[in-house]
Amino acid sequence: MRIALVSMPWAIFNRPSIQLGTLKAFLREGEENVAVRTLHPYLDAALSIGPDSYRTVCANGWAGEALFAGLLFPERYDRAAEVFHRSLGKKVSRSLPPFDMLTARLDRQLDDWLARHDFSDCALAGFSVCFNQLAASLLAAARLKKINPGLPVVFGGSSCAPDLAPALLEVFPQIDYVIAGEGETPLSGLCRFLAGRAGSPGNGVFRRTGKTVELPAAYRPGCCQIADPDQLPLPDYDDYFNELRSSGLNVIPGLPVEFSRGCWWNKCAFCNLNLQWRGYRSKSSRRMLDEVEHLRNRHRCLDFFFTDNCLPPAEARRFFSTLARSDMDLHFFGEIRPLRKPDDYALYRRGGLNSVQVGIEAFSDSLLQKMNKGVTAMDNIAALKYCAENNIRLDGNLILEFPASSEQEVEETLHCLDFVLPFQPLKAAAFFLGHSSPIWCRPAEYEIRAIHPHPFNRMLYPENILARLRMLVEYGIGERRHQKALWRPVRKKMKAWEAFHRGRRSSPPPLTYREGGDFIIIRQERPGGQPVLHHRLNGPSRAVYLACRRPIPKKDLLRHCPSVTDKQLDAFLDDLESKRLLFRSSDRVLALAVRQPHTL
């Protein structure tokens, strides 16, 4: 039995698909009579429109969906073009080839790709449908069915969460099966069913019989999950590398790896990233080390990208601690929450973690509570500092226009932005309503009066189709206009933050100190072309400032520096806070300058 597994645009083209690689390895190990080939047409798409254009579109989900939606629904082509331009903005869209040219190239590329690959010997074609891959996968499946009408097609992935799956089958005739949730065991059962070795596809597989959608009799979310991820086989990326060599694309890929499934926190009010999982499971550090070593040796790559929603703290600490003792220049990207132990940032960096996404989201304590983030503004600012201190590139978002935000929370955010200027700018992310997120489940608590399809989806999909679909991104009706106006000053200030860093020419970080034994000298760059300032702190002042390298309560500062009175300490902290050299929140204090790195 032969099956083909496909990953469409807009997967990142300089990475293999971890979904396809993991599924292929699982079936190869568990199903003796199943031969799997994985296909990555996103490589062809990158060649077709150019790698730079592909990267730009890939970074903007709506733009990518619009390109394929315009081909999938020709009657909505003009509206798809409007979504494309509006989502990118005038400046970015002008840097790309015209919408008509991009769709023409993608249209031709898809037909050429289908003509080059023979699916006539396949018993099943599977599409991994994650974020920004739905329209492309629907179009490819429809054209594949025209060529091979009897070929069963299965969809799976994060866009096929359990309560979204039935609608996909009801609306789109090119789909025969949908796997909702974790895919390894259900796909294995579907293969046995199609080979005549089982009486039904088994749990986790939805199918259409005639005009009705059939749910597994004993189905419940999470029923088919792998209990111990250490038992999963190593991902198989060989097909991707064969295609890459044939493509002529000149890239050394980064390899996706998976430490855990789910999220160990999983409480954020806006998040719907874990609809396909039930519970949190992680691999052991020993298994993760073996996996990285195997992939490094086999594919001769040094860059790795953890696909986790959140790295497991204890096992990640053991993993990076082991790698810190090696002599290899491995680089890792991972998503983390602000770490509880500041020294872990240095440990992670020595182990190769040079790029992270930290779930910052807000700089207001009360807003962070509404979001159920479990951290404070001080924790978030400290995370920015620790990453700068350890030369870890930090990517993160600040969510603007969050429902039920108050004027005071906006003012708190503006206040904090004055202090984070020296650190890597965050991206301004307008709030979106994720299907089945806690906010979606309890809209009234967040002043959302009604939930409708997202305006962009209303432009991309015909009304009769969208009325029957459930999409991952929806639209909450409430005080959106008020929130947009409320957050406008924050958006403006974040643009200035980004411009400050974009215009810098000097190599040291913007706010650093140098140690002088019994004094320190702080160097401070300022925005707007203002002269660089230097501050010298002597004796007790030096001792107080260095004691604040980590957030510290004021009472502990007084104990740490017994020669300083309470009145003197307040005056000193007030002075440094006014100069933006330290940050205070409640009773805690954090010095913001990082030690200037040594240069040869």
Side-chain angles (χ1 to χ4, degrees):
M1 177 183 184
R2 297 182 180 275
I3 73 169
L5 300 178
V6 183
S7 182
M8 294 295 293
W10 298 91
I12 298 174
F13 76 86
N14 61 329
R15 299 180 202 172
S17 164
I18 192 169
Q19 293 85 2
L20 302 194
T22 301
L23 290 169
K24 178 177 180 178
F26 187 85
L27 291 174
R28 183 187 60 212
E29 186 174 278
E31 299 294 330
E32 293 181 2
N33 299 316
V34 177
V36 182
R37 59 171 170 161
T38 58
L39 299 167
H40 308 79
Y42 57 83
L43 289 171
D44 284 354
L47 274 173
S48 175
I49 68 172
D52 290 339
S53 294
Y54 188 98
R55 287 189 188 95
T56 301
V57 174
C58 184
N60 185 298
W62 287 114
E65 285 291 279
L67 285 166
F68 280 101
L71 297 171
L72 183 63
F73 305 113
E75 71 276 18
R76 304 188 81 77
Y77 185 87
D78 290 342
R79 294 187 180 186
E82 186 179 346
V83 170
F84 177 81
H85 293 297
R86 283 174 56 183
S87 63
L88 288 170
K90 291 182 180 179
K91 183 177 180 180
V92 176
S93 61
R94 285 173 184 166
S95 70
L96 294 169
F99 182 81
D100 291 351
M101 183 181 295
L102 290 172
T103 53
R105 290 178 181 177
L106 292 169
D107 190 20
R108 185 167 55 251
Q109 173 266 321
L110 179 56
D111 281 343
D112 290 346
W113 178 81
L114 287 168
R116 289 202 315 273
H117 293 279
D118 182 8
F119 291 86
S120 61
D121 63 345
C122 287
L124 178 68
F127 287 82
S128 173
V129 189
C130 297
F131 298 109
N132 312 327
Q133 291 181 300
L134 181 58
S137 299
L138 288 169
L139 181 65
R143 292 189 181 180
L144 181 59
K145 280 281 199 177
K146 284 186 178 180
I147 301 170
N148 302 273
L151 176 63
V153 168
V154 58
F155 272 30
S158 57
S159 292
C160 304
D163 54 346
L164 309 181
L168 288 172
L169 284 168
E170 290 171 2
V171 174
F172 297 108
Q174 62 265 50
I175 309 173
D176 301 291
Y177 303 93
V178 174
I179 290 175
E182 194 164 285
E184 288 90 350
T185 302
L187 182 58
S188 184
L190 179 58
C191 288
R192 287 195 294 271
F193 168 71
L194 293 174
R197 293 185 286 116
S200 71
N203 264 343
V205 181
F206 295 72
R207 65 170 169 170
R208 185 178 53 252
T209 54
K211 295 185 178 181
T212 63
V213 174
E214 180 181 316
L215 279 66
Y219 177 77
R220 68 184 192 284
C223 62
C224 301
Q225 292 186 169
I226 306 295
D228 180 6
D230 276 0
Q231 302 306 310
L232 287 167
L234 299 171
D236 184 338
Y237 295 144
D238 288 357
D239 290 342
Y240 169 85
F241 277 89
N242 290 334
E243 290 184 55
L244 180 64
R245 281 189 289 271
S246 299
S247 74
L249 284 167
N250 184 22
V251 295
I252 296 178
L255 301 182
V257 286
E258 181 184 50
F259 214 143
S260 62
R261 294 184 175 182
C263 176
W264 61 265
W265 176 251
N266 198 29
K267 297 177 183 178
C268 297
F270 52 83
C271 182
N272 69 342
L273 294 178
N274 296 287
L275 301 183
Q276 72 270 38
W277 316 116
R278 289 298 179 272
Y280 180 72
R281 297 146 293 147
S282 74
K283 295 174 183 174
S284 66
S285 58
R286 182 70 262 165
R287 159 57 197 265
M288 201 69 250
L289 288 162
D290 290 344
E291 191 167 321
V292 167
E293 177 65 8
H294 165 79
L295 294 173
R296 180 190 67 83
N297 276 329
R298 184 166 187 83
H299 301 298
R300 319 308 285 173
C301 294
L302 296 173
D303 296 311
F304 295 86
F305 297 83
F306 284 109
T307 60
D308 306 47
N309 288 325
C310 191
L311 289 177
E315 291 300 328
R317 194 177 300 120
R318 297 185 187 101
F319 174 83
F320 288 116
S321 179
T322 301
L323 287 179
R325 299 191 292 271
S326 75
D327 192 33
M328 291 183 294
D329 295 324
L330 300 178
H331 286 170
F332 294 89
F333 164 83
E335 296 193 28
I336 62 173
R337 284 172 55 80
L339 299 173
R340 295 185 180 277
K341 298 180 180 179
D343 290 343
D344 281 347
Y345 288 89
L347 174 64
Y348 282 24
R349 183 63 184 87
R350 291 197 303 274
L353 188 71
N354 69 327
S355 180
V356 295
Q357 179 158 337
V358 183
I360 301 292
E361 268 75 70
F363 284 138
S364 160
D365 286 347
S366 61
L367 187 52
L368 286 163
Q369 288 176 355
K370 288 178 183 175
M371 294 179 176
N372 206 18
K373 289 292 297 181
V375 295
T376 64
M378 175 68 83
D379 296 328
N380 282 340
I381 292 175
L384 294 177
K385 177 191 172 177
Y386 299 148
C387 286
E389 196 169 54
N390 292 285
N391 195 28
I392 298 173
R393 176 179 173 78
L394 183 145
D395 290 314
N397 298 318
L398 207 62
I399 297 178
L400 312 188
E401 304 158 23
F402 190 82
S405 297
S406 68
E407 187 174 344
Q408 180 181 345
E409 288 162 346
V410 171
E411 288 300 321
E412 290 169 2
T413 304
L414 289 167
H415 173 73
C416 289
L417 287 174
D418 289 333
F419 293 86
V420 299
L421 179 74
F423 307 129
Q424 184 70 33
L426 302 177
K427 293 181 177 66
F431 169 79
F432 70 85
L433 183 61
H435 179 86
S436 289
S437 66
I439 294 179
W440 185 91
C441 295
R442 304 189 305 274
E445 293 181 22
Y446 297 88
E447 300 177 2
I448 295 174
R449 298 190 303 272
I451 296 174
H452 296 297
H454 193 281
F456 281 171
N457 278 329
R458 294 175 70 175
M459 296 172 72
L460 295 177
Y461 287 84
E463 292 180 13
N464 63 322
I465 286 180
L466 191 60
R468 299 156 62 197
L469 274 181
R470 287 186 172 181
M471 308 293 270
L472 282 175
V473 178
E474 298 188 284
Y475 193 78
I477 304 299
E479 298 183 343
R480 296 187 69 94
R481 189 171 298 176
H482 169 69
Q483 288 296 332
K484 192 170 184 177
L486 199 62
W487 283 91
R488 194 169 290 124
V490 173
R491 191 178 293 276
K492 181 179 179 181
K493 202 164 193 175
M494 291 186 72
K495 288 181 179 178
W497 184 12
E498 184 179 354
F500 168 69
H501 282 265
R502 191 170 53 244
R504 292 186 65 244
R505 295 181 180 178
S506 54
S507 56
L511 183 60
T512 59
Y513 74 89
R514 294 169 61 196
E515 178 61 80
D518 60 349
F519 68 96
I520 60 173
I521 295 177
I522 300 174
R523 177 184 180 277
Q524 182 184 24
E525 294 180 32
R526 298 183 295 166
Q530 298 179 78
V532 173
L533 295 181
H534 293 87
H535 314 267
R536 183 183 291 108
L537 302 183
N538 299 294
S541 297
R542 167 191 172 275
V544 169
Y545 195 78
L546 294 183
C548 302
R549 284 177 293 185
R550 306 292 181 261
I552 183 172
K554 179 187 165 186
K555 61 183 180 183
D556 292 347
L557 269 180
L558 288 168
R559 285 198 296 266
H560 185 80
C561 306
S563 64
V564 179
T565 67
D566 187 279
K567 186 175 181 180
Q568 288 172 327
L569 181 59
D570 275 337
F572 177 69
L573 296 178
D574 286 344
D575 180 54
L576 293 195
E577 184 179 22
S578 69
K579 294 173 180 174
R580 308 293 189 260
L581 299 178
L582 60 77
F583 176 74
R584 279 197 288 184
S585 180
S586 298
D587 192 41
R588 293 197 296 167
V589 185
L590 173 68
L592 298 174
V594 301
R595 189 165 183 177
Q596 184 168 318
H598 295 288
T599 57
L600 296 177

